[in-house]
């Protein structure tokens, strides 16, 4: 059976391949882009790439799963923007844990203008590690970002001043622990010196450590991104968290990250994930205490209004589409 969307007259398999390619804009830890997509005649499959897992930084595979969750949400939205709804089966096969999602039961609906606007945000969104401006994020914007996360099954707790100070101490301790670990340093050095579309290029890394309340990741080498003299005093910090600590909950956390970040982008709010404090066992435990028993922490987020006087960093490179989207099962059938 061959489906056509009334809105675009594009075959389903083309829409699936386009959505998978669009998902390449998703954020991922160290820009590993640990996802691969397989287009089938009536389904789309998402697999994690074990080779791209950070074995020292992320031995349990939580951040790789979270990153794939962000890509899954991007693909779902891109499909909605094209006029398709799908049933999403997360972790559908216990014998194949790398198979993170299968999208089936695709049905044409009208194109979704809201999803179309959000898809534009995917192409604009980026991690901007410079200090934010002196303008605080409006409470309504923080509430909208948090409710986007809730809609995807995670929660975003915006921290009060005392909690931010506890977070700052924990992040600083995590940075020290990580700096002393030769395997972590080696992994970071690898992902900050890659060519070919993955990893972090010098242009997106600060030329010197920015003045921030909560220390950002020390990438072990200076980049070429000018940071200016500002301090991010006006930034808000939040913790993305949920009830569970399972592969499914980390996948959902990634979907929530994507949803929250795209809403933030639409509202002019800049976001930076800070995962160091979650990567180190001891500081993750401190984060649990900061959350006062509210749940499992997945990711710390800095939210702020970017300084409008200065252009932001360039986009971090991406892998070519043919390396992430496998259309061999449908080539010639579209
Ligand atoms: C799970 C996860 C953890 C991340 N941790 C950090 C971090 O600790 N520090 C940081 O500066 N960026 C962090 N990032 C941002 C990534 O480095 C960024 O998404 C990636 O390089 C792609 O760049 P882009 O977001 O500009 O598209 C993280 C992203 C994800 C999804």
């Amino acid at each position: 059976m061959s489906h056509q969307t009334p809105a675009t007259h594009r075959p389903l398999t083309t829409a699936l391949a386009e959505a998978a390619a669009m998902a390449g804009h998703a954020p991922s830890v160290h820009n590993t882009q640990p996802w691969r997509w397989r287009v089938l005649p009536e389904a789309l499959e998402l697999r994690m790439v074990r080779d791209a897992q950070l074995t020292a930084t992320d031995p349990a595979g939580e951040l790789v799963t979270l990153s794939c969750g962000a890509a899954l949400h991007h693909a779902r939205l891109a499909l909605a923007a094209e006029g398709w709804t799908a049933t999403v089966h997360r972790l559908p096969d216990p014998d194949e844990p790398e198979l993170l999602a299968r999208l089936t039961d695709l049905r044409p609906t009208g194109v979704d203008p809201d999803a179309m606007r959000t898809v534009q945000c995917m192409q604009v969104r980026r991690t901007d590690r410079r200090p934010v401006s002196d303008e605080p994020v409006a409470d309504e914007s923080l509430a909208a970002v948090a409710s986007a996360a809730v809609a995807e099954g995670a929660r975003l707790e915006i921290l009060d001043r005392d909690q931010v100070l506890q977070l700052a101490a924990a992040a600083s301790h995590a940075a020290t622990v990580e700096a002393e670990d030769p395997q972590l340093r080696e992994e970071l050095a690898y992902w900050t010196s890659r060519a070919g579309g993955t990893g972090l290029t010098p242009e997106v890394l600060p030329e010197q450590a920015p003045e921030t309340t909560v220390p950002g990741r020390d990438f072990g080498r200076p980049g070429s991104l000018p940071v200016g003299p500002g301090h991010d005093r006006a930034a808000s910090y939040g913790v993305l968290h949920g009830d569970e600590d399972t592969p499914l909950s980390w996948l959902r956390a990634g979907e929530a990250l994507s949803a929250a970040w795209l809403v933030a982008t639409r509202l002019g709010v800049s976001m930076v994930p800070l995962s160091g404090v979650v990567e180190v066992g001891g500081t993750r435990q401190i984060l649990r205490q900061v959350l006062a028993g509210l749940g499992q922490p997945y990711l710390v987020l800095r939210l702020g209004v970017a300084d409008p006087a200065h252009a932001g960093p360039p986009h971090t490179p991406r892998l070519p589409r043919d390396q992430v989207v496998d259309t061999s099962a449908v080539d010639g059938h579209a």
Side-chain angles (χ1 to χ4, degrees):
M1 189 172 46
S2 142
H3 288 300
Q4 299 276 319
T5 142
T8 62
H9 302 286
R10 287 219 270 195
L12 170 59
T13 50
T14 306
L16 292 174
E18 289 297 323
M22 189 57 82
H25 289 291
S28 59
V29 62
H30 292 3
N31 196 30
T32 47
Q33 300 160 65
W35 46 71
R36 296 296 177 269
W37 296 92
R38 186 149 183 255
V39 181
L40 298 169
E42 304 223 352
L44 180 64
E45 290 182 340
L46 165 65
R47 284 180 176 74
M48 84 157 67
V49 181
R50 281 281 177 206
D51 284 352
Q53 182 179 339
L54 305 172
T55 47
T57 311
D58 179 31
E62 296 159 339
L63 299 181
V64 66
T65 307
L66 195 155
S67 302
C68 287
L72 174 59
H73 180 260
H74 270 50
R76 285 171 45 209
L77 263 184
L79 273 176
E82 280 275 322
W84 294 94
T85 61
T87 302
V88 184
H89 306 270
R90 295 174 180 85
L91 296 159
D93 185 352
D95 292 332
E96 198 191 339
E98 282 79 20
L99 178 58
L100 295 182
R102 184 180 285 131
L103 280 66
T104 63
D105 197 19
L106 285 128
R107 292 175 196 280
T109 57
V111 288
D112 177 344
D114 198 52
M116 282 170 85
R117 274 197 295 278
T118 314
V119 164
Q120 286 165 4
C121 292
M122 287 179 197
Q123 297 165 70
V124 176
R125 185 212 58 79
R126 70 191 77 179
T127 305
D128 183 351
R129 300 177 178 87
R130 298 170 305 154
V132 291
S133 74
D134 292 336
E135 184 186 340
V137 182
D139 287 346
E140 307 80 64
S141 298
L142 290 175
V145 172
S147 71
V150 168
E152 291 298 330
R155 297 185 292 271
L156 178 61
E157 176 83 3
I158 304 295
L159 303 184
D160 65 26
R161 204 182 144 62
D162 283 352
Q163 290 172 314
V164 171
L165 294 178
Q166 290 176 60
L167 169 66
S172 169
H173 181 63
T176 305
V177 171
E178 296 205 318
E180 285 169 358
D181 185 324
Q183 282 180 316
L184 284 173
R185 283 207 309 267
E186 204 180 302
E187 205 161 63
L188 201 51
Y190 176 82
W191 289 101
T192 51
S193 58
R194 304 263 313 140
T198 55
L200 294 145
T201 49
E203 295 77 26
V204 299
L205 298 180
E207 61 185 5
Q208 74 217 30
E211 296 283 331
T212 56
T213 310
V214 176
R217 188 188 289 280
D218 175 1
F219 286 93
R221 64 179 64 196
S224 56
L225 177 68
V227 291
H231 187 295
D232 73 348
R233 257 177 226 100
S236 295
Y237 286 87
V239 182
L240 190 65
H241 64 102
D243 294 330
E244 310 272 335
D245 183 9
T246 61
L248 177 61
S249 69
W250 286 92
L251 187 67
R252 292 294 284 148
E255 292 175 86
L257 171 69
S258 165
W261 206 338
L262 293 172
V263 167
T265 305
R266 204 152 140 182
L267 296 172
V269 175
S270 155
M271 249 170 60
V272 179
L274 300 171
S275 50
V277 70
V278 176
E279 290 155 15
V280 174
T283 52
R284 188 188 294 194
Q285 185 53 32
I286 293 173
L287 215 47
R288 281 199 191 99
Q289 288 158 14
V290 171
L291 288 173
L294 283 177
Q296 300 292 335
Y298 303 131
L299 201 57
V300 170
L301 301 173
R302 185 192 76 173
L303 301 101
V305 177
D307 187 345
H310 298 280
H315 284 287
T316 310
R318 290 297 192 267
L319 284 166
R321 170 190 179 130
D322 60 357
Q323 285 187 32
V324 277
V325 186
D326 175 4
T327 55
S328 58
V330 296
D331 284 343
H333 297 276

